[in-house]
Amino acid sequence: MNDQNHDVIVIGTGPGGEGASMKAAKEGKSVAVIEKHHLVGGGCTHWGTIPSKALRHSINRMLEFNTSPAFRNALGSSLKLSYPDLLRSAESVIARQTAMRRDFYERNRIQLRHGQARFLDAHTLEVRAGGTIEPVVLSADAFIIASGSHPFRPRDIDFNHPRIFDSDTILSMSTTPRSILIYGAGVIGCEYASIFRNMGCKVDLVDTRSQLLSFLDDEIAHALSYHLRDQGVMIRHNEEYEVVEGLADGVLTHFKSGKKIKADVLLWANGRTGNTQNMGLEELGITPNNRGQIKVDDNYRTALPHIYAVGDVIGYPSLASAAYDQGRFAATHLIHGSCDHHLVDYIPTGIYTSPEISSVGRTERELTDARVPYEVGHAYFKSLARAQITGRTVGMLKLLFHRDTLEILGIHCFGDQAAEIVHIGQAIMAQQGTANNIQYFVNTTFNYPTMAEAYRVAALNGLNRLA
């Protein structure tokens, strides 16, 4: 056991921890980072964003191959890859991401330690690597907790059963199921519903609410429901489980409505919990809520002002993109006592279903409730030359703008490359005054043929409604 003092100790190497540690190191501070996993990158790299999106990409490429007559005729049959085969496509991406991020810490002379962190007092913690390795004691002037989250697991469900998975363990499934029941129709549940349906699995998507992803613009949410059903996903709204019964040949789920659904496997995708267990926080006066999340102020300070928290462990917005910025902002405040930067008012959402969804700004429902006079402009992908060339004609771009000032109020996109397309509009929305005006899209020349051209089409469509 040894004692080492640092200016800042960061707990976690996901996006939030990386943003915080890099900012502090660039400011000349002595920084140590603690990661309980044996590799850096956090849940984003190893169990969440990167592997699931790499898996989705591989499945989409397989679909593209199988739906192309030229490719299929050349092979003589459809291309069939197992779930484990497709998962392996993510391994090289994860390996490259891990190596790159490990190099960041080495180049910035940040001390990296692996093990479970636990506070001994307000300025000291120990790192236990497990086994017979003696714990290391570290001290610091300040701390940033970026420990992330893990899937919420109800106590009455046996997650040790070989056919019951959560969104972490599903990435280690060694078989290709014929059928899957996904409990929870949030972002993760909808994304995996697309993934497994596009593999040819029978999918039941159970939603405890009356509408998929109700935070989205209603037209986009309804489009998602339509296309998931069109692909063959069975969506079951307003359902709650009563008993989950693991069997030798599948999982039988009993619902409070009286329904029973049997599937080869169950994927539980209903909520996440902050990684705050066994960290000694309660003894410091920092008490996580019932979902393991830490309360912070506008500058990411906890109940103890020298201990900050960022990312999934503080709850909303629980996005990798936002967590990185939160880490940088927390480190800036920690070092300088203030931070002029904050998260953007409207954080873009990216939902990687097939087709994908992205939006930024306000929805029609929000504008109507606020009695804001707005108009709508649409561009349907089926009318765009680029979409016709690629064959990705499902989708649309939707612009909401003020009828009088022409200020852009919301951008909603459904279809191929939606998460990329939305950033063009986000950049214009961020401008002040008349620069944030739908006329920009009418008077700007776009490359042709591109998906970006949808902005010009949607802007003209909306302006034509003002007459």
Side-chain angles (χ1 to χ4, degrees):
M1 180 178 289
N2 58 340
D3 192 328
Q4 299 185 41
N5 185 65
H6 297 273
D7 296 323
V8 183
I9 292 178
V10 179
I11 302 174
T13 63
E18 182 180 306
S21 58
M22 295 303 156
K23 177 62 177 176
K26 298 293 186 185
E27 293 277 357
K29 299 300 180 181
S30 168
V31 182
V33 176
I34 301 167
E35 171 55 58
K36 66 179 180 181
H37 189 50
H38 68 282
L39 296 171
V40 300
C44 171
T45 300
H46 297 283
W47 305 282
T49 303
I50 299 302
S52 63
K53 277 53 178 179
L55 173 62
R56 170 186 180 267
H57 177 77
S58 295
I59 291 171
N60 284 345
R61 296 291 75 77
M62 183 177 72
L63 277 176
E64 187 176 1
F65 183 96
N66 288 337
T67 54
S68 168
F71 293 151
R72 192 172 61 249
N73 292 339
L75 183 66
S77 63
S78 296
L79 179 64
K80 292 288 186 182
L81 296 174
S82 70
Y83 181 72
D85 288 337
L86 291 163
L87 273 178
R88 275 192 284 274
S89 67
E91 292 176 358
S92 63
V93 179
I94 294 172
R96 290 197 298 271
Q97 285 283 309
T98 301
M100 178 183 70
R101 299 187 186 288
R102 185 178 62 245
D103 186 52
F104 290 162
Y105 294 105
E106 293 174 354
R107 284 189 297 167
N108 286 278
R109 297 180 175 85
I110 297 171
Q111 184 181 102
L112 175 63
R113 290 192 176 274
H114 294 276
Q116 175 67 45
R118 178 179 177 83
F119 283 93
L120 301 178
D121 59 47
H123 285 277
T124 312
L125 54 74
E126 68 174 10
V127 182
R128 290 185 173 272
T132 59
I133 300 174
E134 188 177 7
V136 176
V137 175
L138 305 174
S139 60
D141 299 329
F143 300 83
I144 300 177
I145 301 171
S147 49
S149 65
H150 62 275
F152 169 68
R153 287 185 165 190
R155 295 180 182 276
D156 59 344
I157 296 179
D158 179 15
F159 285 93
N160 291 319
H161 191 281
R163 293 179 178 268
I164 298 177
F165 300 89
D166 61 28
S167 56
D168 283 358
T169 57
I170 195 71
L171 294 166
S172 60
M173 185 169 63
S174 59
T175 59
T176 304
R178 292 173 300 172
S179 62
I180 183 169
L181 187 148
I182 301 174
Y183 190 91
V187 172
I188 294 173
C190 288
E191 288 180 348
Y192 273 106
S194 282
I195 285 172
F196 281 104
R197 184 59 201 142
N198 285 332
M199 286 186 61
C201 301
K202 175 185 174 184
V203 177
D204 282 276
L205 178 61
V206 176
D207 188 4
T208 58
R209 301 174 183 176
S210 59
Q211 178 178 306
L212 292 183
L213 306 180
S214 57
F215 61 89
L216 291 174
D217 186 87
D218 288 341
E219 188 173 8
I220 301 297
H222 294 156
L224 174 63
S225 295
Y226 170 81
H227 284 285
L228 284 178
R229 287 190 172 104
D230 187 56
Q231 292 166 8
V233 175
M234 174 63 76
I235 304 173
R236 301 177 185 271
H237 290 294
N238 299 311
E239 295 283 1
E240 289 186 54
Y241 83 96
E242 188 167 46
V243 175
V244 173
E245 187 180 356
L247 308 173
D249 61 345
V251 181
L252 180 63
T253 305
H254 303 252
F255 292 91
K256 292 180 180 179
S257 65
K259 296 184 183 71
K260 297 180 183 180
I261 302 175
K262 185 178 179 182
D264 286 350
V265 298
L266 167 72
L267 168 58
W268 180 269
N270 199 38
R272 296 185 68 83
T273 300
N275 292 329
T276 50
Q277 308 91 330
N278 303 316
M279 290 181 65
L281 295 175
E282 291 82 359
E283 289 82 354
L284 301 181
I286 301 173
T287 305
N289 64 18
N290 62 352
R291 297 306 288 263
Q293 296 165 349
I294 300 172
K295 183 179 180 180
V296 296
D297 65 13
D298 292 341
N299 295 304
Y300 306 104
R301 292 178 297 187
T302 68
L304 295 184
H306 72 288
I307 300 179
Y308 293 67
V310 299
D312 280 14
V313 79
I314 67 172
Y316 177 85
S318 296
L319 296 170
S321 53
Y324 191 89
D325 289 335
Q326 289 172 335
R328 292 192 302 109
F329 300 156
T332 300
H333 189 274
L334 182 158
I335 294 165
H336 298 289
S338 64
C339 182
D340 295 333
H341 303 287
H342 57 82
L343 288 180
V344 295
D345 292 333
Y346 296 111
I347 300 169
T349 59
I351 302 169
Y352 295 89
T353 47
S354 294
E356 68 188 49
I357 297 170
S358 192
S359 64
V360 64
R362 289 186 279 181
T363 66
E364 284 202 68
R365 189 184 334 116
E366 291 169 340
L367 293 172
T368 300
D369 291 344
R371 299 190 175 185
V372 175
Y374 72 92
E375 196 47 87
V376 184
H378 287 101
Y380 293 98
F381 287 5
K382 64 184 179 181
S383 302
L384 301 179
R386 182 60 177 268
Q388 294 168 358
I389 291 169
T390 62
R392 303 294 182 87
T393 56
V394 171
M396 68 174 175
L397 175 66
K398 177 178 181 178
L399 303 181
L400 306 179
F401 62 98
H402 198 287
R403 285 187 61 91
D404 302 325
T405 67
L406 304 186
E407 176 189 3
I408 302 166
L409 304 171
I411 300 167
H412 307 279
C413 192
F414 178 81
D416 186 41
Q417 301 181 56
E420 300 285 351
I421 294 169
V422 76
H423 289 133
I424 300 170
Q426 180 193 22
I428 302 306
M429 279 185 68
Q431 306 306 307
Q432 300 299 315
T434 57
N436 175 10
N437 189 301
I438 198 166
Q439 291 282 8
Y440 171 87
F441 298 123
V442 176
N443 298 321
T444 294
T445 302
F446 289 89
N447 276 331
Y448 177 85
T450 60
M451 297 304 293
E453 183 199 5
Y455 278 97
R456 180 179 59 82
V457 176
L460 288 169
N461 177 264
L463 289 171
N464 286 339
R465 298 178 192 277
L466 295 180

